[in-house]
Amino acid sequence: MRNNRETCNLIWLISVTLLFCVGAASQPQPSKPEKVTQAVDKVIVYYFHTNYRCYSCTTIERYTRECIETNFAKEIKSGHLEFKSVDIELPANKHYIEEYKLFTKSVIVSDMVQGKEQRWKNLQKVWEHLRNETKFKEYVKTETAAYLQEKRS
């Protein structure tokens, strides 16, 4: 009888211990304090488009993206340059139409300092150079490099 009682006590002790361990493991751990990130000074190259994407529109985006990613990989990696493709027909993005006076698909280079835009430029000649990939990419590269160079000065 005593052996049976000891077995029951042992089972009870193991059960309580397991419940305690499982309960402790499932308690939420205190979260680590979030790292506060400061706004990085950077240049953003935007490509603004609508839902309707013709061949010319997709080509402008492709050439712009390729130019930025190929010529400015170091700046992208460091966070000093960013490329964003933005659908201006989405309600959250409609404000760009007024801010940049958009009337067609456009490439905009924007200079951001401490999270606030300081200046911007509409690269309107992308339409002129659309049929010449080399000239197109050289134009985007030159304009982007000029904005980045001014940030370094």
Side-chain angles (χ1 to χ4, degrees), residues 43-139:
V43 172
I44 302 174
V45 177
Y46 291 101
Y47 171 62
F48 291 105
H49 60 85
T50 60
N51 287 332
Y52 177 73
R53 313 284 302 272
C54 67
Y55 175 77
S56 295
C57 301
T58 57
T59 301
I60 290 172
E61 179 177 9
R62 182 169 48 87
Y63 285 176
T64 303
R65 182 184 305 274
E66 288 172 359
C67 173
I68 298 301
E69 290 175 353
T70 301
N71 294 291
F72 302 103
K74 185 176 89 176
E75 291 82 354
I76 291 169
K77 187 173 182 173
S78 71
H80 291 100
L81 178 64
E82 188 175 346
F83 174 79
K84 291 184 178 182
S85 179
V86 179
D87 182 347
I88 59 171
E89 288 189 317
L90 295 175
N93 297 332
K94 288 197 179 281
H95 65 95
Y96 289 115
I97 297 169
E98 286 296 315
E99 290 172 21
Y100 296 126
K101 299 168 183 36
L102 301 174
F103 58 91
T104 188
K105 282 68 171 186
S106 301
V107 176
I108 302 283
V109 181
S110 172
D111 181 18
M112 303 295 286
V113 176
Q114 295 182 358
K116 295 186 185 205
E117 186 171 62
Q118 299 301 304
R119 64 193 174 101
W120 58 272
K121 183 175 184 178
N122 187 334
L123 304 187
Q124 295 177 348
K125 291 184 181 178
V126 295
W127 289 97
E128 284 178 38
H129 300 310
L130 183 58
R131 300 216 188 295
N132 185 327
E133 181 177 354
T134 304
K135 278 188 177 181
F136 181 105
K137 289 181 176 179
E138 188 58 37
Y139 171 60

